[in-house]
Amino acid sequence: MSELGLIFDIKKYSINDGPGIRTTVFFQGCPLTCQWCHNPESQPNKPVLLYRANRCVLCGACAEVCPQHAITLNGSADTDRKSCKTCGSCAETCYNGARELSGCETSVEQVMSEVLRDTPFYEGSGGGVTFSGGEPLLQPRFLLELLCACRAHDLHTVVDTSGLATWEVIDSLRIYVDLFLFDLKMMDDKRHIEYTGVSNQLILNNLKKLAEAGSNITICIPLIPGINDDGDNLRASGEFIRSLPNITSVEIMGYHDLAAAKYEALGLAYQLKHLSAPDKSEMRRSAGLLEQVGLQVKIS
Ligand code: SF4
Ligand code: SF4
C-alpha cells in the first residue's frame, strides 16, 4: 500500500506555478501562519470546514445530517466549531456549495491518475507537476513517493515551499525535484516571527544549503505593503540572495486581498483588511531596489 497524504485541491492547466502548463497538487497543512496567506484553509494539518454565508439559502439540510448537532439556523447556518468533527457530511449535503471541507486523505495512485491525464499538455508546453500548499515538505514520505512516481513517468517536478523543514527532509528528496520555488518573506527574524509565527533561521539556512548543493531554485518574494516592501528589507534580501551560489535573479509577487472571504468562511479574523494591492509603480520601485544589488527581477 502506498503512502496516503492530505491534500486540498488539484488544479489543472496552471500557468503560474512553474514552466509551461502544469497540474498543481495542493498539500493540506503548513507550519507557518502568514497573515497574508491566500490559502488560509491550508494551514491546519487536518481537514477544516468552510462556510460561505452568502451562498446559504437556510434550507437546514446541513443541520439535519450533522451527527454532532453542531449547526444552528439563526439567520445563517452557524457551526459550533468546537463540536464539529469535520466529518464532511454537511458539505456533501449542501447543494448550494455553501459548505466545503478542505483536506482530503488521498493516495499516491489517486493523485498520479489525475496528473497523468494531462501528459500531452506537459509535453507540448514544457510543463509538468507542481507540489504546493500549504507546505508539501510537511508530508515528506507522501511527497517523496509522488516525486518518484513523476520521475518514473519522466515528468518535470516543482516544489513550491516556505523552506521550513529539517535539512534531512529536504536533502532526502531534492534530487527528485527539478525546480524549487522558494519563498523569502523577510530578513529580520523578529518581524518574521511577528508576521508568520516562526523564526526565519532554519529557512535561510536551508536556502543556503540548497543553493550550495546545486539545486535549481527560483526565489520568490511576496510583496506585502508596509510589512516587507521597505528599503531595508529589500536590500537585505537582495544581498542575501546575491551571496548564494548560482542565483542571480528573483521573482516578486504583489499582495492581493482575494482571500479575505476565505478567512470569513473559516470563522477567522482577516488581520490585513486595511491593505491594498501594490500598484505598478510600487512594484517597479521594489524591483529597482533589488536590481541595485545586482539581481535580475521578474515581476509576477
Ligand atoms: S445545507 Fe447549505 S444552503 Fe442549506 S442551510 Fe446548510 S449551508 Fe445553508
Ligand atoms: S463537518 Fe460534520 S460535524 Fe462538522 S458541522 Fe459538518 S456535519 Fe457537523
Side-chain angles (χ1 to χ4, degrees):
M1 176 81 179
S2 72
E3 198 67 32
L4 292 174
L6 206 56
I7 65 167
F8 71 93
D9 200 6
I10 296 181
K11 190 169 127 204
K12 305 277 202 152
Y13 314 115
S14 167
I15 52 165
N16 295 314
D17 297 326
I21 297 174
R22 313 192 69 80
T23 293
T24 303
V25 182
F26 290 90
F27 282 47
Q28 180 80 26
C30 183
L32 280 70
T33 50
C34 303
Q35 289 186 11
W36 55 86
C37 179
H38 55 272
N39 287 327
E41 74 276 31
S42 73
Q43 289 179 356
N45 56 7
K46 59 181 185 183
V48 60
L49 182 69
L50 292 99
Y51 167 63
R52 294 182 173 87
N54 61 343
R55 293 189 196 163
C56 175
V57 295
L58 293 172
C59 67
C62 54
E64 276 175 34
V65 298
C66 175
Q68 298 301 118
H69 307 292
I71 301 170
T72 319
L73 294 182
N74 186 17
S76 61
D78 296 334
T79 309
D80 174 2
R81 289 182 183 268
K82 284 198 184 121
S83 308
C84 171
K85 302 280 189 224
T86 57
C87 68
S89 300
C90 59
E92 280 167 24
T93 305
C94 178
Y95 59 85
N96 273 328
R99 290 180 173 266
E100 182 193 336
L101 198 68
S102 172
C104 171
E105 201 165 61
T106 313
S107 69
V108 170
E109 287 81 7
Q110 284 169 312
V111 173
M112 288 310 294
S113 107
E114 280 299 314
V115 159
L116 290 170
R117 281 186 200 175
D118 289 344
T119 303
F121 293 104
Y122 314 144
E123 286 171 355
S125 68
V129 187
T130 298
F131 299 103
S132 183
E135 173 51 70
L137 298 177
L138 205 56
Q139 300 182 62
R141 290 208 303 256
F142 183 54
L143 177 59
L144 183 59
E145 280 199 21
L146 285 167
L147 287 167
C148 290
C150 288
R151 180 61 57 92
H153 288 92
D154 207 17
L155 299 179
H156 181 272
T157 55
V158 169
V159 169
D160 180 6
T161 180
S162 68
L164 189 65
T166 64
W167 172 249
E168 288 68 30
V169 162
I170 297 173
D171 197 32
S172 69
L173 47 76
R174 66 179 174 78
I175 57 167
Y176 301 102
V177 181
D178 294 308
L179 171 66
F180 283 93
L181 300 180
F182 201 115
D183 262 20
L184 185 63
K185 295 167 174 59
M186 62 190 82
M187 297 302 291
D188 182 277
D189 197 26
K190 273 193 189 152
R191 288 174 66 75
H192 200 279
I193 293 168
E194 180 184 351
Y195 288 106
T196 73
V198 299
S199 164
N200 63 10
Q201 295 305 294
L202 181 58
I203 294 169
L204 298 179
N205 283 337
N206 283 338
L207 178 51
K208 191 162 175 284
K209 285 181 183 168
L210 202 54
E212 286 168 355
S215 286
N216 191 16
I217 307 168
T218 294
I219 297 176
C220 313
I221 301 179
L223 280 182
I224 320 298
I227 293 180
N228 71 348
D229 66 343
D230 53 285
D232 284 351
N233 181 58
L234 290 175
R235 273 187 289 273
S237 302
E239 276 156 20
F240 176 72
I241 296 167
R242 284 296 285 136
S243 75
L244 302 171
N246 307 316
I247 297 186
T248 54
S249 64
V250 62
E251 204 166 310
I252 56 175
M253 290 167 294
Y255 160 84
H256 63 70
D257 64 358
L258 300 177
K262 283 191 188 174
Y263 285 81
E264 202 179 318
L266 290 162
L268 300 173
Y270 184 50
Q271 298 182 65
L272 303 184
K273 265 188 208 140
H274 55 288
L275 291 191
S276 343
D279 62 22
K280 271 188 188 163
S281 69
E282 287 163 328
M283 294 296 288
R284 201 49 252 151
R285 179 197 63 85
S286 297
L289 288 166
L290 291 160
E291 283 161 355
Q292 277 171 20
V293 297
L295 288 168
Q296 290 171 356
V297 182
K298 181 178 168 202
I299 300 178
S300 299

